[in-house]
Amino acid sequence: MSEERMRSDVDVGGGAGGAGGGGGEVLDAERELVARAVSGDKDALEDVVRRVQDPLYRLALRMTWRPADAEDAAQEILIRVVTGLATWRAEARLLTWAYRIGVNHLLNLKRRTSQEAAGLSLDAFGEGLVDGLAPVAYAGPDAELLAREVRLTCTQAMLQCLERGERVAYVLGEVFELPSPEAAWVLDVSPAAYRKRLERARTRLRTFMDATCGLANPAAPCRCARRVAPAVAAGRVDPRRPALASHPVSPGGRDLARASAQMGRLHDAATVLRSHPDYAAPRARSEVVLGLLGSGRFPLLSDEHSDQ
């Protein structure tokens, strides 16, 4: 089960029914919360930010690959969400609506990831993985931690080989496990069009990982532990500060050990790509957003920053 599903009742994750409609009681509670935020209740606004900041950061991280780029994107998305709260009409749950704003921003980012700029295909990426295997598994300091860092960075890189429309469809459907009607609403496409896009992404990643990734298919050649030394030598992994394996997680969320254990129970492409820790957004970024709103630099709840 995805990080969003696991906390659907607590963290306003994707709900069942409609466009993430959840239960009527949940929507009523969210309406009351947003109404208080719109009226100037500082505590209510901070509660809104708390509910959406980590899921939005995780969405941005899956789409942009690197934590630093995800932080920038998530901060901009959060500004758009909180300055557009007055336009939320409870047609979907608050987080689902925030995802829609986030997806629109991420699909239109002018900055490209290095994979996008290089036009790297899954085939070329797979050839590089297999050609870059060390003869033996890495056995140096923090071997297990660094092998996990390789897994996390490698699966992030796989997603970058998909064009953005397919990538976000896969993230919403397979990583966050949103129901098709909800994901289609987020993307503003028909459920049929969404399912077609998702199936293309599933097929491409499943085919690639079955042929390449030893986690998804034990008969495939690539092994994370044999990728550690080449990744460190190439500067893709910093053994002193592994960016994803040591990334802070949300309170009560899955840490690296729990995410790895979940993956160990099943061997398939979706499980491998889904089994990341529940990364937490840097709290300094949300404090910046709240500070900007309090300063009057951004007019709170204006239509200017809303994508709805």
Side-chain angles (χ1 to χ4, degrees):
M1 185 170 285
S2 73
E3 62 260 29
E4 315 313 326
R5 281 276 174 242
M6 290 170 66
R7 295 186 307 282
S8 61
D9 293 332
V10 177
D11 206 21
V12 231
E25 293 180 1
V26 173
L27 278 176
D28 287 345
E30 291 184 346
R31 283 193 190 97
E32 191 273 336
L33 174 66
V34 170
R36 288 195 290 116
V38 170
S39 70
D41 186 324
K42 180 181 177 182
D43 290 339
L45 184 60
E46 290 179 351
D47 195 1
V48 169
V49 170
R50 178 189 63 79
R51 291 172 179 232
V52 302
Q53 62 185 353
D54 288 354
L56 289 175
Y57 173 73
R58 290 192 285 267
L59 173 67
L61 184 58
R62 293 299 190 141
M63 291 297 293
T64 64
W65 191 16
R66 303 294 191 189
D69 292 333
E71 289 176 24
D72 291 342
Q75 180 174 305
E76 176 60 29
I77 294 165
L78 194 56
I79 290 172
R80 290 170 181 262
V81 168
V82 296
T83 57
L85 276 177
T87 69
W88 179 63
R89 299 290 179 258
E91 66 273 51
R93 288 178 64 174
L94 185 61
L95 179 57
T96 305
W97 174 78
Y99 277 150
R100 191 172 189 174
I101 293 173
V103 163
N104 185 66
H105 178 74
L106 291 162
L107 288 176
N108 290 288
L109 277 178
K110 292 183 179 179
R111 176 184 293 181
R112 295 187 294 172
T113 69
S114 58
Q115 302 265 102
E116 289 175 332
L120 189 64
S121 68
L122 282 169
D123 287 343
F125 180 60
E127 290 173 3
L129 289 178
V130 175
D131 290 344
L133 287 174
V136 296
Y138 179 77
D142 297 319
E144 183 177 0
L145 179 69
L146 294 179
R148 289 178 173 180
E149 176 74 3
V150 165
R151 170 177 67 84
L152 297 172
T153 57
C154 185
T155 50
Q156 284 287 88
M158 289 177 199
L159 287 173
Q160 307 309 307
C161 294
L162 300 176
E163 61 89 17
R164 289 183 184 181
E166 290 184 359
R167 190 187 318 157
V168 75
Y170 192 89
V171 168
L172 293 175
E174 289 292 299
V175 177
F176 292 173
E177 296 181 284
L178 299 188
S180 289
E182 186 175 342
W185 186 88
V186 169
L187 290 171
D188 197 21
V189 298
S190 71
Y194 168 74
R195 288 192 296 270
K196 186 177 294 185
R197 189 181 301 178
L198 175 60
E199 188 54 36
R200 285 198 303 267
R202 278 175 175 162
T203 299
R204 293 186 63 196
L205 284 171
R206 188 186 305 123
T207 300
F208 167 77
M209 294 184 72
D210 188 61
T212 307
C213 178
L215 294 171
N217 175 12
C222 194
R223 295 292 184 274
C224 297
R226 292 176 59 192
R227 286 286 308 160
V228 172
V232 169
R236 298 189 183 97
V237 167
D238 183 347
R240 297 164 299 178
R241 297 181 61 188
L244 297 177
S246 61
H247 197 295
V249 301
S250 300
R254 292 180 307 172
D255 59 15
L256 179 59
R258 287 175 59 194
S260 298
Q262 180 185 16
M263 180 189 64
R265 290 192 293 270
L266 295 170
H267 294 279
D268 62 71
T271 302
V272 174
L273 285 157
R274 190 182 302 133
S275 297
H276 279 233
D278 291 341
Y279 304 115
R283 293 302 181 253
R285 293 300 187 112
S286 59
E287 291 170 4
V288 166
V289 171
L290 290 168
L292 288 172
L293 293 170
S295 72
R297 179 178 173 184
F298 287 93
L300 181 61
L301 314 171
S302 73
D303 291 337
E304 179 182 355
H305 294 282
S306 173
D307 292 303
Q308 302 305 304

